[in-house]
Amino acid sequence: MTYFWAAHPRLEREGGSYSSHNLAAAGNNVVGAEREKSCLSTTSQVTSLPTAWTLKPQHPVPMSPFILNGHSSETSGPREFSPDTTVAVIGAGVSGICTAAYLLKNGISVTVFERSNVTSGVWHYDHKVTKSPSYPSILPSVGDYHTTNPGQLSSNSKTGEFSHGLQENDEDELRIGFAPPGPCYAGLRNNVPTSLLYTNLGPWPEGTEDITGHDNLEHYLQDLSSEHGVNDVTVFNTRVEHAQKSDDGNHWHLRTATLLKGPGFPRFVERTWQFDAVVVASGHYNLPRVPDTPGLAEWKAKYGDRIIHTKEYRHPEAYRDKTVLVIGGGASAMDVCRESTGVARRVIQSTRGGDFDLPASLLPETVEHVGPVAKFVLDSEDSFSAADTPIGGHIALEDGHVLREVDYVVLATGYLTSYPFLPQYHSDTLHIDEVTPDVLVTSDGNMVHQLHKDIFYIEDPSLAFIGVPYYSATFSLFDFQAQVLARVYSGKVKLPARELQRQEYEKRVAKTGRGREFHSLARDGLEPAYVKELVDWANSSLVDKSLEPLKGHSSEWLTTYWETRKKMNLLRGGQKQ
């Protein structure tokens, strides 16, 4: 007889039972009832396990991905991708939802790990904000949360103190530290029309406007997640602490931490899992990019929340009758400027005039435009300005001009590429042009190296990424990537030899160079060309030619795409992107 961690619907309590609602709220939604899988207790470390929860013997059931005392129940040996492949998906935003849905459609066993308690990723609005990032940015490998070591979340039963930094006395603060809220602000809307921004998993509800609020985008994604069974295979309130290959290289071992919600102080459960493949779908918007501008760290240290990154921005009311400087030229900078003009006394936008900056003509005429910031200067180390007065100092611009009487600074400076659960694939000291095949992210944090078709790690395609490209119609693009990945992992599409993947990748590097531009699909025609190439390759690589080929963009999508590009180019004064 084997003892299993009793998972829903087998979790029992003396004198009663927990409802599925309570289980989900507790963060112990390990697997849906429909999957009929159990989680083995022998390798789970439970912090402050409720005394009413019991371990009960179970009859043999299909094995879960949990490791049995550190060893697999399966015979060891290399595995080809097939419908028997087991896959972990990290993240339940649009890329994770699409990935899991198509894997399930192809008969793959999949488990999704989501550190928050909902699907939909960046489109979920939370009025709470993440803690301020480091000034300047920390190393890309660290990420927006500090991972734990095995057993580090164990509790001292007498004092209730944890051996890790997640020891906030306030439950809300603990949850913010465990799963930092995303960058969604109250006024966030899509900047790509919904006629382009959709997945093949399902249409938008009838009557959805081309530009709509975050709540409608969230509901669309959550409906898809529910309809396609993704919710049933998602472990919520659970973050991946570490993912690594087994010693024999045949499997992936994932260590996770789950934050339970219930009466009293939150508790943690640590688990170890085993999979054949891992898909990273954690998105772009996690680790803020904070520039190392002289004096900025001193301004932040002295004036705290008056200097923020857009990941902390929620609404413009704090800027009423104040002067706010917004640094950056992308979509979030535009939104903050636009929203703030309705309440602020003065809105100033500082940009570098980069290739990815949106045209100033998109903003109200009242927004002032200046060049790059050279340095932030405090009047004196001992001076301090009250909250209702401007910051005691000035901002020197690179062109020699000076900004004074600024009340707030908003950094719309983007994000670093960061996968803290894969530290072995980071090099925080290696220059971008010195990258080696075993490194995915270099010190700059500007791109993911070594990916075939921006998806599969060339050295080991059992590690894949969905959602790496940007400046695109994300929903539809990630949908196509997920369809192709699901066909590869189910054995329906065969990857080319590693040498051929490497040749194609190096040819692309020689053409575009390394850096942010590498994954960008901003320029005219790049997105439809990428999707066509991806779909054509997948169809030409079908193992069984009788299988129905994938279909690319519809003619309606392409017509809308080119109409939208034409309008944007007119706004840019005819300048092509």
Side-chain angles (χ1 to χ4, degrees):
M1 188 73 70
T2 303
Y3 281 86
F4 288 89
W5 174 264
H8 174 58
R10 300 186 179 89
L11 183 61
E12 294 191 353
R13 177 178 173 232
E14 296 176 4
S17 62
Y18 288 97
S19 69
S20 60
H21 171 77
N22 287 336
L23 284 169
N28 201 37
N29 182 18
V30 177
V31 284
E34 296 83 357
R35 299 183 72 200
E36 290 297 314
K37 288 186 176 181
S38 295
C39 302
L40 194 68
S41 66
T42 52
T43 57
S44 298
Q45 294 189 349
V46 183
T47 300
S48 300
L49 177 67
T51 55
W53 291 16
T54 62
L55 291 175
K56 59 180 296 186
Q58 299 290 331
H59 295 293
V61 295
M63 290 307 304
S64 79
F66 278 101
I67 295 175
L68 312 183
N69 292 321
H71 301 284
S72 169
S73 62
E74 305 176 57
T75 57
S76 62
R79 295 187 54 157
E80 296 291 334
F81 293 133
S82 72
D84 295 327
T85 303
T86 59
V87 181
V89 177
I90 302 175
V94 58
S95 54
I97 292 170
C98 289
T99 300
Y102 285 112
L103 287 170
L104 291 170
K105 285 178 178 293
N106 281 270
I108 297 289
S109 174
V110 56
T111 302
V112 181
F113 297 98
E114 170 54 47
R115 66 184 185 180
S116 74
N117 60 0
V118 295
T119 59
S120 70
V122 297
W123 295 106
H124 172 67
Y125 176 74
D126 189 337
H127 71 275
K128 296 186 289 294
V129 299
T130 184
K131 296 179 180 179
S132 287
S134 297
Y135 280 65
S137 301
I138 56 177
L139 301 175
S141 66
V142 177
D144 66 338
Y145 66 91
H146 290 276
T147 58
T148 62
N149 295 321
Q152 200 171 0
L153 288 173
S154 59
S155 173
N156 183 318
S157 59
K158 293 182 179 180
T159 64
E161 294 181 354
F162 297 97
S163 58
H164 184 260
L166 293 173
Q167 54 206 56
E168 299 282 354
N169 293 323
D170 181 86
E171 181 176 333
D172 284 341
E173 290 299 314
L174 175 60
R175 294 189 174 277
I176 289 172
F178 182 81
C184 184
Y185 38 92
L188 180 63
R189 296 158 68 86
N190 55 303
N191 58 6
V192 174
T194 55
S195 50
L196 295 177
L197 198 69
Y198 64 88
T199 88
N200 293 299
L201 294 171
W204 286 95
E206 187 175 351
T208 300
E209 297 178 348
D210 253 359
I211 304 299
T212 188
H214 60 76
D215 52 340
N216 290 328
L217 288 110
E218 177 183 24
H219 293 155
Y220 172 68
L221 292 175
Q222 290 179 351
D223 287 345
L224 292 178
S225 182
S226 177
E227 292 167 7
H228 292 277
V230 177
N231 288 354
D232 297 329
V233 298
T234 299
V235 192
F236 291 100
N237 298 310
T238 299
R239 74 184 193 190
V240 177
E241 300 295 296
H242 192 64
Q244 66 180 24
K245 293 303 290 283
S246 58
D247 291 341
D248 61 12
N250 295 328
H251 304 285
W252 282 91
H253 292 171
L254 270 64
R255 181 170 52 83
T256 65
T258 298
L259 179 58
L260 303 179
K261 183 179 181 181
F265 200 76
R267 295 157 293 270
F268 298 90
V269 173
E270 296 179 81
R271 301 183 181 94
T272 303
W273 310 67
Q274 177 171 283
F275 298 93
D276 299 317
V278 172
V279 181
V280 178
S282 52
H284 295 284
Y285 307 108
N286 295 310
L287 180 60
R289 180 190 301 274
V290 178
D292 192 12
T293 306
L296 178 58
E298 288 74 17
W299 272 45
K300 177 64 176 178
K302 178 158 287 191
Y303 290 100
D305 291 343
R306 294 173 72 174
I307 293 88
I308 66 168
H309 187 274
T310 46
K311 191 177 183 183
E312 304 165 80
Y313 174 80
R314 290 296 181 267
H315 50 76
E317 186 57 35
Y319 311 141
R320 182 171 295 279
D321 301 325
K322 301 295 183 180
T323 295
V324 55
L325 171 66
V326 181
I327 301 176
S332 59
M334 291 290 176
D335 283 349
V336 175
C337 288
R338 188 182 300 110
E339 291 185 2
S340 298
T341 55
V343 296
R345 180 177 67 86
R346 185 184 179 196
V347 177
I348 308 168
Q349 182 190 25
S350 167
T351 64
R352 291 190 169 275
D355 291 339
F356 301 114
D357 287 355
L358 293 170
S361 58
L362 293 174
L363 289 173
E365 294 182 357
T366 54
V367 176
E368 302 174 37
H369 302 277
V370 300
V373 172
K375 60 181 177 179
F376 294 80
V377 181
L378 291 171
D379 286 341
S380 70
E381 292 185 2
D382 298 329
S383 65
F384 183 82
S385 300
D388 59 348
T389 61
I391 289 175
H394 66 271
I395 300 167
L397 304 179
E398 289 185 0
D399 62 8
H401 288 83
V402 172
L403 300 177
R404 299 184 184 277
E405 297 190 340
V406 171
D407 297 284
Y408 292 91
V409 176
V410 180
L411 303 175
T413 46
Y415 295 82
L416 294 170
T417 299
S418 176
Y419 307 112
F421 45 84
L422 292 170
Q424 68 273 36
Y425 295 106
H426 275 265
S427 175
D428 291 328
T429 58
L430 204 60
H431 186 271
I432 188 171
D433 289 322
E434 298 172 346
V435 65
T436 53
D438 58 329
V439 173
L440 290 171
V441 183
T442 44
S443 59
D444 54 286
N446 277 329
M447 65 175 288
V448 187
H449 300 269
Q450 325 296 351
L451 298 187
H452 179 59
K453 305 293 187 187
D454 273 354
I455 300 175
F456 302 98
Y457 178 35
I458 293 173
E459 298 302 309
D460 181 1
S462 68
L463 175 61
F465 297 76
I466 297 296
V468 168
Y470 51 91
Y471 295 131
S472 68
T474 51
F475 291 22
S476 61
L477 182 77
F478 301 165
D479 180 279
F480 285 116
Q481 286 190 315
Q483 289 188 64
V484 170
L485 176 136
R487 287 204 164 195
V488 170
Y489 278 180
S490 61
K492 296 175 181 177
V493 169
K494 186 174 180 62
L495 287 166
R498 181 185 302 172
E499 294 77 12
L500 295 177
Q501 295 180 49
R502 174 63 59 188
Q503 290 174 14
E504 180 181 319
Y505 174 78
E506 294 298 343
K507 183 178 179 180
R508 183 178 165 197
V509 169
K511 180 181 179 180
T512 66
R514 298 183 177 92
R516 294 188 66 212
E517 180 76 16
F518 190 83
H519 298 303
S520 170
L521 298 177
R523 298 186 186 279
D524 284 350
L526 286 185
E527 182 173 358
Y530 169 82
V531 170
K532 184 179 187 305
E533 180 185 331
L534 183 66
V535 170
D536 287 349
W537 163 73
N539 289 336
S540 67
S541 303
L542 284 170
V543 173
D544 183 351
K545 299 303 181 183
S546 66
L547 290 171
E548 182 179 356
L550 295 177
K551 297 179 181 179
H553 285 131
S554 67
S555 58
E556 293 81 6
W557 190 97
L558 291 169
T559 297
T560 304
Y561 171 85
W562 285 110
E563 289 176 348
T564 303
R565 299 300 303 183
K566 182 178 180 180
K567 293 177 182 177
M568 180 57 69
N569 286 332
L570 288 173
L571 286 171
R572 292 180 183 273
Q575 179 184 355
K576 297 285 185 180
Q577 291 301 302

